[in-house]
Amino acid sequence: MKILRPRPFYFDSGSTAVLLLHSFSGTSNDMRLLGRFLERSNYSAYAPMFAGHGTAEPLDILEFGSPEKWWQQTQEAIQFLQEQQKTQIYVFGLSLGAIFATKALEEIPEVSGGGVFGSPLGSTGYRGIKEAFLTYAKKVYSVQQDLTEIEIDSKMRIVSSKIDAKLTEIRKTSVGVTNQLAEIKRPYFIGQGTNDKLVNPDAATEVAKDVKTSQLHLYNAGHVLTINHAHSQLESDVLNFLENN
């Protein structure tokens, strides 16, 4: 069975552009529903793919991806939208992407506003993210690669040996971004599922206190707000945010 690989997307639909940054074990597909919704609402939507993502090998994320590379890609994506002559650029990120969307709001004056969904900022433990990544890796090896149990175990041992170091790098970046939250003076959307098992849902309330321009939206849902049952409400809230900020 041929598995179609996820690809970045760019829906060119209006003079205002929205950059959408995906999660740690996700791809641009996390953002496709929201991207299509924005396109129908006359906003351009761009979802690049972070280094190491979108392949059939979970180890690629741990071996080829890094916070430095992902931040560089975020900056390049904003530059791309500027080259497309977009008059306003907003940046939103899901989970891992939330770190870089927030960093963009702190450091890049050309960004008009943006926000986060299921953000790890302010969360102390990453155990949920680690477990989710291990589950994701095992599923890929079992379903997509058709490996034997012995081969799966061998691959999973390598993943387990590398995941902690990568999460430490991400946490370091996240702490740096969290420490600068008070610098944000532009509109900042916070979308958080109250049943989120990957990050601490209470951290969103703390972040909202630090960012004076923030607008906090809570959903009775889990982590991946862009595709779970809260996605329609989230889309409507994001559109409302864009039209009023």
Side-chain angles (χ1 to χ4, degrees):
M1 184 175 80
K2 189 176 186 316
I3 306 235
L4 286 174
R5 297 272 158 257
R7 309 177 96 84
F9 63 77
Y10 175 50
F11 305 144
D12 190 2
S13 180
S15 60
T16 296
V18 183
L19 174 61
L20 300 168
L21 304 173
H22 66 75
S23 67
F24 182 49
S25 56
T27 66
S28 51
N29 284 355
D30 296 342
M31 293 301 194
R32 198 168 285 274
L33 274 176
L34 179 55
R36 284 294 184 204
F37 172 82
L38 291 168
E39 180 191 31
R40 289 194 299 273
S41 308
N42 296 316
Y43 287 87
S44 294
Y46 178 37
M49 197 107 72
F50 282 140
H53 292 73
T55 74
E57 178 49 83
L59 273 169
D60 288 348
I61 297 171
L62 306 179
E63 290 174 348
F64 302 121
S66 70
E68 292 73 29
K69 270 192 200 158
W70 299 328
W71 171 234
Q72 188 188 342
Q73 288 181 291
T74 302
Q75 293 169 282
E76 286 165 359
I78 291 166
Q79 202 178 339
F80 167 75
L81 292 171
Q82 289 172 315
E83 285 160 7
Q84 302 299 307
Q85 310 292 311
K86 297 307 170 189
T87 51
Q88 280 188 299
I89 297 168
Y90 290 81
V91 186
F92 288 86
L94 167 69
S95 202
L96 173 74
I99 299 170
F100 301 103
T102 305
K103 193 170 166 66
L105 277 163
E106 290 171 356
E107 296 186 20
I108 302 175
E110 292 78 12
V111 174
S112 301
V116 297
F117 318 128
S119 166
L121 297 175
S123 271
T124 47
Y126 277 26
R127 221 184 98 203
I129 292 174
K130 178 180 176 175
E131 283 169 7
F133 190 84
L134 293 173
T135 303
Y136 153 76
K138 187 152 193 183
K139 189 174 163 190
V140 172
Y141 293 138
S142 310
V143 178
Q144 291 187 22
Q145 294 195 10
D146 199 22
L147 304 176
T148 66
E149 282 300 319
I150 292 166
E151 289 168 327
I152 291 169
D153 284 349
S154 163
K155 288 261 196 184
M156 287 304 295
R157 272 202 298 278
I158 303 170
V159 171
S160 298
S161 72
K162 291 177 182 271
I163 181 82
D164 287 335
K166 189 60 61 186
L167 288 177
T168 300
E169 283 176 40
I170 293 169
R171 187 184 288 118
K172 225 156 95 180
T173 306
S174 176
V175 167
V177 172
T178 305
N179 289 343
Q180 300 298 315
L181 284 170
E183 302 299 310
I184 296 176
K185 303 289 185 275
R186 283 159 283 176
Y188 187 67
F189 181 104
I190 303 171
Q192 179 58 54
T194 51
N195 303 325
D196 198 326
K197 301 285 184 283
L198 268 68
V199 299
N200 174 10
D202 300 333
T205 313
E206 292 309 306
V207 169
K209 286 179 194 163
D210 288 337
V211 184
K212 301 296 174 250
T213 53
S214 67
Q215 299 167 34
L216 176 62
H217 298 263
L218 298 175
Y219 304 90
N220 181 17
H223 185 62
V224 191
L225 293 170
T226 51
I227 55 176
N228 65 24
H229 68 84
H231 80 88
S232 297
Q233 185 58 53
L234 179 78
E235 288 159 7
S236 149
D237 291 340
V238 167
L239 181 63
N240 188 41
F241 174 87
L242 292 169
E243 298 197 329
N244 293 294
N245 294 287

